Amino acid sequence: MAILLLTSASGAPGVTTTALGLALCWPRDVLMVDADPHPSHAVESGYLSAGTETGGGLADLAGAHRAGTDLTAALWNQVIALPGIDGRPSPTARFLPGFGHPAQPALFTMIWPAIAASLAELGDAGVDVIVDLGRMGSDGLPAELCARAGAVGVVTRCGLRPLAGLSVNAETVEAVSSRTAATVGLVTVGAGHPYSAREICAQFGMPVIAEVADDPRAAAVLSDGAPGPRGWASGRYASGLRHSAARLAGLLADAAREVAL
């Protein structure tokens, strides 16, 4: 149960940037998986824009699945080490590229069970997994991933417009909750602008499991590969990511212990 799913109900609250930031601050070995069904190669063209070579990612795993290859081994052959903010490879964070074409996600209906099992195997081996699922569709999230998740974070900004979008899609979020025994909660971006995490929690009846500051300049280091401003690593944005990563890693560890009992 060492799998964290990150998604959003509407809009573009920064799911990928948040997933990447959490991975880079994660206290244990971690793999970030780009499984956004609306592919954009955001990590490759943004944070990795310096030219880091990446593999075929999920698309190649589909071929490995059809060929009957050991999927966990094939998956691990596709990952790359994420460079830290200082440009050096992170000793603990790795990245699996996502879909290369908008038509590919529809072909994964029969493949997700095997992918989910392989990701769970990594969790059993001590590697936590953060899956970036982008904006959920009307069908919710892949059921196999939900069934194996230890936590599901619905990322939202804290203004009226994004919260209205979350409200409109409340039934879809509730359907996701019904498919998993995982903790399902909100990951807020910019709490207090204008609504606080406590107000949002009370309104939607969901726990806030992580909070990320709304700092476009600091976030651009992750989303666009922009140079880090002075004091980035000790600033409010990075500090919030570290705190949230520690909290979410604890949620996954608790979920794994419950399964083991």
Side-chain angles (χ1 to χ4, degrees):
M1 306 293 281
I3 299 175
L4 166 66
L5 307 181
L6 290 180
T7 186
S8 68
S10 65
V15 178
T16 299
T17 301
T18 300
L20 176 59
L22 290 172
L24 292 172
C25 296
W26 205 255
R28 300 191 290 268
D29 285 347
V30 66
L31 171 66
M32 176 189 168
V33 179
D34 178 3
D36 190 336
H38 307 93
S40 63
H41 290 173
V43 175
E44 296 94 315
S45 60
Y47 187 67
L48 297 178
S49 58
T52 303
E53 291 187 9
T54 62
L58 289 178
D60 280 9
L61 292 186
H65 180 264
R66 288 192 297 269
T69 304
D70 182 314
L71 203 57
T72 303
L75 184 155
W76 202 243
N77 286 334
Q78 293 291 329
V79 307
I80 63 167
L82 283 170
I85 300 302
D86 57 4
R88 294 178 296 181
S90 168
T92 61
R94 296 174 177 84
F95 173 66
L96 177 66
F99 300 110
H101 189 278
Q104 289 177 348
L107 305 177
F108 261 63
T109 304
M110 303 301 294
I111 303 174
W112 276 126
I115 297 287
S118 292
L119 295 178
E121 284 186 22
L122 292 180
D124 293 340
V127 179
D128 290 343
V129 179
I130 300 172
V131 184
D132 169 13
L133 287 164
R135 177 170 53 83
M136 68 177 72
S138 57
D139 295 331
L141 306 177
E144 298 80 13
L145 289 177
C146 289
R148 292 183 179 272
V152 180
V154 181
V155 182
T156 182
R157 294 186 180 274
C158 301
L160 181 59
R161 184 166 60 86
L163 293 177
L166 180 58
S167 180
V168 167
N169 290 281
E171 289 186 3
T172 303
V173 176
E174 290 173 5
V176 169
S177 298
S178 70
R179 295 179 183 176
T180 179
T183 297
V184 179
L186 298 171
V187 176
T188 60
V189 179
H193 299 284
Y195 299 103
S196 69
R198 180 176 295 181
E199 289 173 316
I200 295 169
C201 177
Q203 174 65 33
F204 291 96
M206 296 174 64
V208 173
I209 58 175
E211 296 183 47
V212 179
D214 185 11
D215 187 334
R217 186 181 177 200
V221 174
L222 304 178
S223 62
D224 300 308
R230 178 176 293 184
W232 189 95
S234 59
R236 182 167 173 255
Y237 183 77
S239 297
L241 285 173
R242 285 193 295 272
H243 178 78
S244 293
R247 183 177 181 183
L248 292 169
L251 278 180
L252 296 190
D254 290 345
R257 281 192 290 269
E258 289 180 9
V259 170
L261 292 177

